Amino acid sequence: MQATDKQANSNVVDQFSEACQATLDRVLGNNSAGVFASVTTLDGRSLAFTAKNDAIRSSRVAALGCSLMSLSEAFSREILQSQCSHNVIATSHGSIITVRLPCKQHQFALSVCVDRSENLAMALRMTLDAAQALADTIDN
């Protein structure tokens, strides 16, 4: 039974990966401030990735993004007894927003990085909208 569950999950991930890549290319391609966008499984595996800089590695973004999401979720549960919806890192070079995809399986995360020319509120809105679009894709 467990092997069947893993096989089914693998098929979902493979199908979702292609749809994720198309969405990420569209999101980053339409935003001149976009640096990278990454969809990962919560165990740190990259499903889809796009970046304007070849030096940015999808495997590192996946591992760090999932670790950050897990830490943020643990922190919000411990301190506020509340669920974490997203986290934002603001730096002098830009912002990184990480959000868990709001799909039924709750096993994916999206990280989007924009340079400092992008308004943080607009970057957050773009990321949340992309997360919802990705969730709609996997749930259908």
Side-chain angles (χ1 to χ4, degrees):
M1 181 75 164
Q2 199 170 23
T4 303
D5 289 343
K6 285 183 181 181
Q7 173 102 19
N9 188 35
S10 177
N11 290 338
V12 167
V13 168
D14 291 343
Q15 292 169 356
F16 187 53
S17 183
E18 292 176 20
C20 287
Q21 191 63 53
T23 299
L24 292 186
D25 290 341
R26 186 176 68 249
V27 167
L28 192 62
N30 290 335
N31 188 327
S32 62
V35 176
F36 72 77
S38 174
V39 176
T40 63
T41 60
L42 292 182
D43 63 357
R45 195 166 41 113
S46 182
L47 290 179
F49 181 78
T50 189
K52 291 187 177 174
N53 180 342
D54 290 337
I56 300 171
R57 305 265 186 233
S58 64
S59 59
R60 293 295 294 154
V61 170
L64 291 168
C66 289
S67 294
L68 178 60
M69 194 73 215
S70 294
L71 184 58
S72 297
E73 288 176 341
F75 190 54
S76 66
R77 273 192 313 269
E78 179 69 26
I79 302 305
L80 297 174
Q81 289 77 47
S82 184
Q83 185 175 350
C84 176
S85 62
H86 61 273
N87 62 60
V88 177
I89 299 172
T91 75
S92 59
H93 295 288
S95 302
I96 302 170
I97 301 159
T98 302
V99 60
R100 186 183 284 242
L101 296 187
C103 55
K104 293 174 186 171
Q105 294 180 340
H106 298 292
Q107 61 184 349
F108 305 102
L110 169 66
S111 293
V112 173
C113 179
V114 294
D115 66 28
R116 65 184 179 160
S117 70
E118 181 66 271
N119 175 301
L120 181 57
M122 294 301 290
L124 177 58
R125 180 76 268 152
M126 177 186 65
T127 303
L128 294 174
D129 289 347
Q132 186 61 57
L134 291 163
D136 290 346
T137 299
I138 196 168
D139 285 342
N140 294 324

